[in-house]
Each structure stands twice: as C-alpha cells, then as structure tokens.
C-alpha cells in the first residue's frame, strides 16, 4: 500500500502517512466550449487505475475520484490534460459559491467550471473571460455532480 523513496531512515508503521486510494475514472470533463463525456453522475464510471494521495487531501475518500480535463477555458488555472480530484458528495449549491465544480448536461456532458450563486440565478463561468457564462435555469439541464478539490498539472 505504501511506497518508500529515498535512502533515509525507515518509518515505523505508526509514523507512515495515511493514504487514500483514489480511482482514476475513464471519463473526460470538458471545459466551456468543449465536450465532456455524457454522464449524469460519477457513480458508475469504471476506474482506469488507482492513485494514492494523502488522506488529508480527501475530506470524503469514499466519494473522491480523479478525472482528466479537456479544453482551454479554465486556463490559466486548470490546463488541458490536467487531472482533477473531485468529491461527488459535495453538490449543495448553497455551499459551492466561488468553487470550481464538475457540472453535467445531457448535451455537453461533464464540464469543469467555476460556480457562482446570485440572488436570482446561478451560473457556471470559465476562468478565461472569452467564454460566456452558462445560466443554470430550471430548464437548462445542468446540475452539479462534484466539487473540485485539487488538480495535478504536468510540468511545462
């Protein structure tokens, strides 16, 4: 379960870091203007592999998974090809204002965006202001499926 690196002193079991086993899902989350996999939730997506991460990075380990991101509208924050760690237990809109989320739509599929809550409406917006925001109305078909916890980017 644990890999040890380096030539330092070996840790005893009680001092070893606790890891969460996170599935890398066989799904893509698109960004604004892009297409994600057409899924209405993350529950039944098969895992490609497992990755270990520090337990403190995963507040709800049983609901944490990883998704590949495709598209450029979340740049410079999240880049095309990054891997996002998401918590599918975090979907309450009242607690997500200003957070990066994964939303789903029957036409666009999974999408990574920043969620904004206003008095009369909610929107999904990109980091890149060249892309228009999406209003989450009752007929829009969009719903939140997860909160993005953190992401992994490749070095340039």
């Amino acid at each position: 379960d644990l890999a040890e690196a380096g030539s330092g002193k070996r840790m005893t079991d009680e001092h070893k870091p606790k890891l969460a086993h996170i599935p890398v899902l066989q799904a893509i989350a698109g960004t604004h203007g892009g297409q994600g996999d057409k899924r209405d939730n993350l529950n039944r997506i098969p895992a490609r592999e497992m990755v270990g991460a520090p337990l403190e990075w995963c507040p709800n380990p049983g609901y944490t998974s990883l998704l590949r991101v495709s598209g450029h509208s979340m740049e410079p924050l999240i880049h095309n090809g990054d891997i996002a760690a998401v918590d599918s237990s975090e979907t309450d809109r009242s607690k997500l204002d200003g957070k990066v989320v994964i939303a789903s739509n029957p036409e666009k599929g999974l999408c990574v965006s920043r969620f904004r809550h206003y008095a009369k409406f909610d929107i999904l917006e990109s980091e890149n202001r060249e892309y228009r925001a999406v209003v989450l109305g009752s007929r829009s078909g969009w719903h939140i499926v997860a909160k993005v916890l953190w992401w992994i980017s490749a070095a340039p």
Side-chain angles (χ1 to χ4, degrees):
D1 284 341
L2 293 175
E4 293 188 36
S7 60
K9 182 179 171 187
R10 299 270 182 215
M11 289 186 268
T12 61
D13 283 342
E14 71 250 12
H15 292 101
K16 287 184 180 179
K18 304 291 187 233
L19 293 179
H21 299 260
I22 307 171
V24 180
L25 302 181
Q26 293 180 17
I28 301 290
T31 61
H32 280 50
Q35 185 71 42
D37 286 339
K38 292 186 178 179
R39 303 293 188 134
D40 63 349
N41 65 58
L42 305 180
N43 297 340
R44 296 190 180 156
I45 301 173
R48 179 178 313 142
E49 56 196 354
M50 298 293 276
V51 171
L55 198 54
E56 63 265 11
W57 293 8
C58 309
N60 300 298
Y63 295 93
T64 303
S65 55
L66 299 169
L67 292 170
R68 177 81 57 187
V69 175
S70 176
H72 300 279
S73 71
M74 289 302 287
E75 292 176 358
L77 186 66
I78 301 174
H79 295 87
N80 184 49
D82 285 359
I83 297 171
V86 302
D87 183 340
S88 60
S89 72
E90 301 263 352
T91 60
D92 183 350
R93 289 185 183 189
S94 67
K95 298 176 182 175
L96 294 173
D97 185 33
K99 305 294 184 194
V100 178
V101 301
I102 303 293
S104 180
N105 175 277
E107 313 260 321
K108 292 290 188 179
L110 298 171
C111 178
V112 59
S113 294
R114 187 170 301 278
F115 176 77
R116 298 283 185 198
H117 174 73
Y118 295 99
K120 298 192 180 203
F121 59 92
D122 296 332
I123 64 169
L124 296 173
E125 64 183 11
S126 66
E127 292 296 301
N128 182 334
R129 298 298 179 231
E130 292 180 22
Y131 294 83
R132 302 181 100 186
V134 174
V135 177
L136 300 181
S138 60
R139 296 183 183 165
S140 71
W142 287 99
H143 66 279
I144 307 297
V145 297
K147 173 184 160 185
V148 174
L149 300 170
W150 43 271
W151 52 92
I152 303 167
S153 294

